[in-house]
Amino acid sequence: MEEFLRILTQSAGEILAPTTAAFAIAAIGLNLHFGYTGLLNMGQAGFMLLGAYGFGITLTLGGPIWLAFLIAIAAGVVFALLLGMPTLQLRGDYLAIVTISAAEIVRWFGRSTLWQEWTGGASGLQGRYYKDPFHALSFLPEGRFALGPFEYINTGSDSWFTRIFAWGLVALVLIFVWLITRSPWGRVLKGIREDEDAVRALGKSVYSYKLQALVLGGAIGALAGVVYAIPLAISPDSMGGRTMTFFVWTVLLLGGAATVFGPVLGSMIFFTAYMFMRTGMRALSEDTAVGNVISTTQVEYIGGMLVGITLMCLVIFRPQGILGNKKELAFNVR
Amino acid sequence: MSVDETTTARSTSLADVAHEPGAAKPDPILVADHVVRRFGGMTAVDVDHLEVQEGVITALIGPNGAGKTTFFNLLTGFDTPNTGEWTFQGRSLSGKSGAAVAKAGVVRTFQLTKALGRLTVLQNMLLASRDNPGENLWLSWLPFLWKKHEADSTEKAMEILARFKLDTKANDYAGSLSGGQRKLLEMARALMTDPTMIMLDEPMAGVNPALVQSLLGHVQALRDEGMTVLFVEHDMHAVRHISDWVVVMAEGRIVAEGPPSSVMKDEAVVDAYLGAHHDTDLGDDSLLDPAVLARYEAEEEER
Ligand SMILES: Nc1ncnc2c1ncn2[C@@H]1O[C@H](COP(=O)(O)OP(=O)(O)OP(=O)(O)O)[C@@H](O)[C@H]1O
Ligand SMILES: [Mg+2]
């Protein structure tokens, strides 16, 4: 029983974890791409990794923190322009192919020895090089603080300050995206999602709108990478991989594409469930006869598989997600 | 000036025009030259010269596969020709994108309807409104800059929707409309842009006869307000009823031009449709009789 409570607490802790916030932001960016504009970005992890590198490297080289954020955003913008300009004239599927391969290219460049001096190569960029300037921003006093069962240090990697910052950023990005998408500008994006030729026939420059959406969502993805990297380290394999991209997709589709709060709710539910599943299975495998069938090392793999299955089931059975409007999809699923 | 007088004025404006393919018009608003589009070895469009008179209703007719839709696509920037150039109001439009053509004032509808399913009917209409400041990203998050434009457009949209009997559907998703309603929405949406010239690809297909009557009247009213209309239609009665001029296409070429009363008796036109030299009129009701059609087909076989 005590064990079960521990697992529950640990899972509930994920609701406000910095990683959950990072994925919420990444999914908000992807929502702008896919949910509103219908762009198939299969490389959101590439945007995240680039943003993290931009942030980490600037600070490692001694740049000020505002510049680090600016460079992270600029990295996302440039990446989006590079990918979007040649492909957005073409049919939608091409963007998917290009983004998935470009994200891989970023990861391989990151782990190569080419720019090892800055990126740290395959082992990545350790947090100690860039965390101090971030922690210096903290306005919290020294010490620890406990909120019910959740106790963290005030300032540090896995701290209250990181949480406040991460969720503050979620709120900012959310308000920004809500403001721009409820406007006539957002209506044009939705029109493009439905049928870009129809929108073109009404005299709107579809290419320009698609590029704007790709750039904004990409810049938001880069910011998500920063939030993800702050409490951890920047490692190309864990952050820039396809798994990361598919987690972001799962988060978005779980919460509901083209909804305002979908990405946030999706991220919270996803990580709570993911943590519950893994810690639960690990406990079972350690303490009960289940251990004879599933060893603790297999838990991670099974967890990954279950995420894949969840994504498939979502797309098949509830493509509108939790917050999605059933009526809106009723006539468009098939 | 009464509607009758304007109609007479329109008819006289075309009175001296020769009844032949590529005839010169007194005030051409759209002029196309040497427009050729090939798909593989097949020539879908081969229009040597066409002038469309300003401020009148021109019908573009022809059998299935004649190249009407392809010609529309070319003129409106949705397809690229192998050769050819065309001008609108004296300015070249060849090579311009679909959006640029629409901005120049030529708005088209599609034969295969393009309703924006997961937008409401009203949102479909508002999307068409021109120069909305809220469609600029930088201004989009400041509602006070575009609220007024939205309110004005909404009022205008509701007026047009009422005319198309879609006002009760304003807040339904366009994806829930029936096929005919989608056709209507698309036409209403095109009108929302205040086009100088509107190009309709089979606007009456699937629309109920009573509404067709009222819409035809509406199209005539738009013409009388100065809009130029070019439309593709298979319904000969609609063509005869409202068009001031008819252009006939067959196998990619323009084979005849003339006022509706005479062009349907034109030998080349009857040929194009029925494939043989028949002494008949395409507007003739006898063509609705299967027996008559079967006889024509049998005669054609014998040749
Ligand atoms: N994308 C395409 N690829 C190949 N052939 C095409 C293409 N589009 C049209 N065609 C061919 O061009 C010819 C003209 O087609 P188009 O759609 O312009 O005819 P239409 O006059 O609009 O006919 P309908 O009255 O049936 O709508 C047809 O023979 C068609 O098969
Ligand atoms: Mg056609």
Side-chain angles (χ1 to χ4, degrees):
Chain A
M1 189 59 213
E2 205 175 297
E3 175 75 358
F4 185 65
L5 265 183
R6 188 185 64 79
I7 294 174
L8 266 192
T9 317
Q10 196 176 349
S11 308
E14 288 291 292
I15 294 179
L16 287 185
T19 311
T20 308
F23 273 84
I25 298 175
I28 293 171
L30 187 64
N31 198 15
L32 208 48
H33 293 156
F34 175 73
Y36 289 99
T37 324
L39 301 176
L40 285 170
N41 170 13
M42 288 290 167
Q44 190 68 329
F47 286 95
M48 295 173 75
L49 183 58
L50 270 179
Y53 274 138
F55 180 79
I57 294 174
T58 311
L59 287 185
T60 311
L61 295 179
I65 193 152
W66 59 265
L67 186 67
F69 277 108
L70 225 60
I71 290 197
I73 293 174
V77 169
V78 170
F79 195 49
L81 288 175
L82 277 178
L83 299 186
M85 293 216 281
T87 50
L88 289 178
Q89 311 259 28
L90 308 173
R91 249 191 19 234
D93 335 18
Y94 292 96
L95 182 69
I97 299 167
V98 167
T99 44
I100 198 169
S101 19
E104 281 296 281
I105 293 172
V106 170
R107 183 169 74 90
W108 280 100
F109 266 118
R111 70 199 306 287
S112 78
T113 49
L114 196 58
W115 294 314
Q116 201 171 19
E117 199 182 325
W118 296 289
T119 62
S123 53
L125 203 58
Q126 296 311 306
R128 61 171 185 276
Y129 295 119
Y130 60 80
K131 278 180 188 171
D132 286 344
F134 175 71
H135 295 154
L137 293 180
S138 174
F139 46 81
L140 297 175
E142 289 287 305
R144 309 175 67 80
F145 176 72
L147 186 77
F150 307 114
E151 186 184 338
Y152 310 104
I153 48 169
N154 283 348
T155 305
S157 284
D158 187 24
S159 67
W160 284 111
F161 178 66
T162 312
R163 282 174 173 70
I164 292 172
F165 174 81
W167 288 101
L169 201 59
V170 171
L172 267 182
V173 172
L174 204 61
I175 291 173
F176 172 70
V177 170
W178 174 70
L179 278 175
I180 58 174
T181 51
R182 72 181 183 137
S183 73
W185 183 81
R187 193 168 56 211
V188 178
L189 295 194
K190 288 185 199 160
I192 292 172
R193 175 189 72 192
E194 298 304 304
D195 192 321
E196 54 177 82
D197 274 344
V199 177
R200 212 169 267 138
L202 296 173
K204 322 277 173 198
S205 165
V206 168
Y207 175 70
S208 150
Y209 280 97
K210 287 206 283 190
L211 202 58
Q212 289 171 31
L214 190 71
V215 165
L216 279 180
I220 292 173
L223 271 182
V226 174
V227 174
Y228 185 82
I230 278 174
L232 305 166
I234 305 171
S235 109
D237 287 332
S238 80
M239 326 196 22
R242 284 145 296 177
T243 319
M244 193 85 168
T245 296
F246 289 117
F247 275 24
V248 179
W249 273 95
T250 311
V251 162
L252 176 63
L253 294 178
L254 182 67
T259 63
V260 178
F261 289 104
V264 177
L265 186 71
S267 189
M268 288 177 167
I269 294 178
F270 176 82
F271 281 101
T272 309
Y274 190 47
M275 178 61 88
F276 182 75
M277 187 177 72
R278 284 182 309 158
T279 46
M281 275 201 300
R282 206 174 292 125
L284 283 178
S285 130
E286 272 166 10
D287 307 334
T288 66
V290 177
N292 301 331
V293 190
I294 304 171
S295 69
T296 40
T297 45
Q298 284 168 339
V299 166
E300 283 300 315
Y301 301 115
I302 295 177
M305 268 159 52
L306 286 178
V307 173
I309 294 172
T310 313
L311 182 57
M312 278 164 56
C313 291
L314 264 177
V315 172
I316 297 168
F317 298 111
R318 203 176 160 89
Q320 76 273 36
I322 294 171
L323 294 181
N325 179 346
K326 187 90 196 199
K327 196 171 138 226
E328 195 172 308
L329 270 154
F331 41 78
N332 229 339
V333 182
R334 273 163 218 285
Chain B
M1 204 180 343
S2 82
V3 172
D4 269 357
E5 280 171 57
T6 20
T7 317
T8 333
R10 312 260 162 213
S11 317
T12 42
S13 77
L14 289 166
D16 300 333
V17 175
H19 299 185
E20 61 185 28
K25 312 283 182 320
D27 313 292
I29 191 167
L30 182 86
V31 182
D33 278 296
H34 314 294
V35 181
V36 176
R37 176 66 166 114
R38 293 191 197 89
F39 292 110
M42 181 264 207
T43 306
V45 170
D46 182 1
V47 171
D48 210 38
H49 183 75
L50 174 69
E51 297 183 6
V52 177
Q53 170 75 358
E54 180 168 9
V56 305
I57 301 177
T58 306
L60 179 62
I61 65 169
N64 294 122
K68 306 178 295 291
T69 298
T70 310
F71 190 46
F72 261 39
N73 288 346
L74 294 170
L75 292 181
T76 51
F78 283 82
D79 193 2
T80 323
N82 296 84
T83 68
E85 58 272 343
W86 54 95
T87 60
F88 177 70
Q89 291 181 322
R91 283 190 304 273
S92 171
L93 274 192
S94 25
K96 291 267 167 56
S97 72
V101 171
K103 276 192 195 124
V106 186
V107 175
R108 56 93 49 101
T109 65
F110 295 86
Q111 180 173 7
L112 299 173
T113 338
K114 295 184 184 296
L116 305 168
R118 283 185 287 167
L119 294 185
T120 66
V121 168
L122 182 59
Q123 283 174 330
N124 265 269
M125 295 294 284
L126 294 178
L127 183 64
S129 134
R130 268 174 201 270
D131 304 321
N132 188 337
E135 285 180 3
N136 180 327
L137 174 60
W138 307 112
L139 309 180
S140 65
W141 54 285
L142 302 168
F144 62 90
L145 288 178
W146 43 262
K147 270 272 144 58
K148 167 126 178 47
H149 186 105
E150 285 283 284
D152 294 349
S153 314
T154 307
E155 197 176 317
K156 177 169 155 199
M158 290 311 291
E159 263 169 41
I160 300 179
L161 285 177
R163 193 112 61 143
F164 284 75
K165 301 264 184 299
L166 284 174
D167 46 342
T168 52
K169 294 267 178 193
N171 293 316
D172 290 7
Y173 284 109
S176 70
L177 296 182
S178 74
Q181 288 171 328
R182 286 175 198 219
K183 274 258 128 141
L184 296 174
L185 172 60
E186 204 180 357
M187 189 168 156
R189 197 173 62 195
L191 291 177
M192 188 73 191
T193 64
D194 292 325
T196 315
M197 173 167 173
I198 188 166
M199 294 175 58
L200 308 166
D201 200 344
E202 303 198 15
M204 305 303 166
V207 177
N208 83 64
L211 197 48
V212 166
Q213 276 311 320
S214 105
L215 288 184
L216 292 181
H218 183 41
V219 171
Q220 280 174 315
L222 290 172
R223 172 202 56 196
D224 296 337
E225 287 161 18
M227 196 181 292
T228 306
V229 182
L230 177 64
F231 76 115
V232 171
E233 189 53 67
H234 284 299
D235 177 352
M236 290 303 159
H237 294 281
V239 171
R240 172 175 285 206
H241 187 67
I242 66 162
S243 54
D244 303 302
W245 193 256
V246 180
V247 175
V248 188
M249 263 182 107
E251 292 170 5
R253 298 170 171 278
I254 290 175
V255 294
E257 278 191 44
S261 50
S262 71
V263 82
M264 291 190 196
K265 298 192 186 85
D266 188 300
E267 215 170 80
V269 178
V270 178
D271 265 13
Y273 273 90
L274 297 169
H277 296 268
H278 295 292
D279 185 22
T280 185
D281 174 347
L282 280 178
D284 192 340
D285 283 341
S286 73
L287 280 181
L288 294 174
D289 182 351
V292 176
L293 266 183
R295 184 162 52 81
Y296 285 150
E297 267 165 31
E299 279 172 25
E300 174 68 4
E301 296 268 295
E302 279 166 29
R303 252 168 239 273

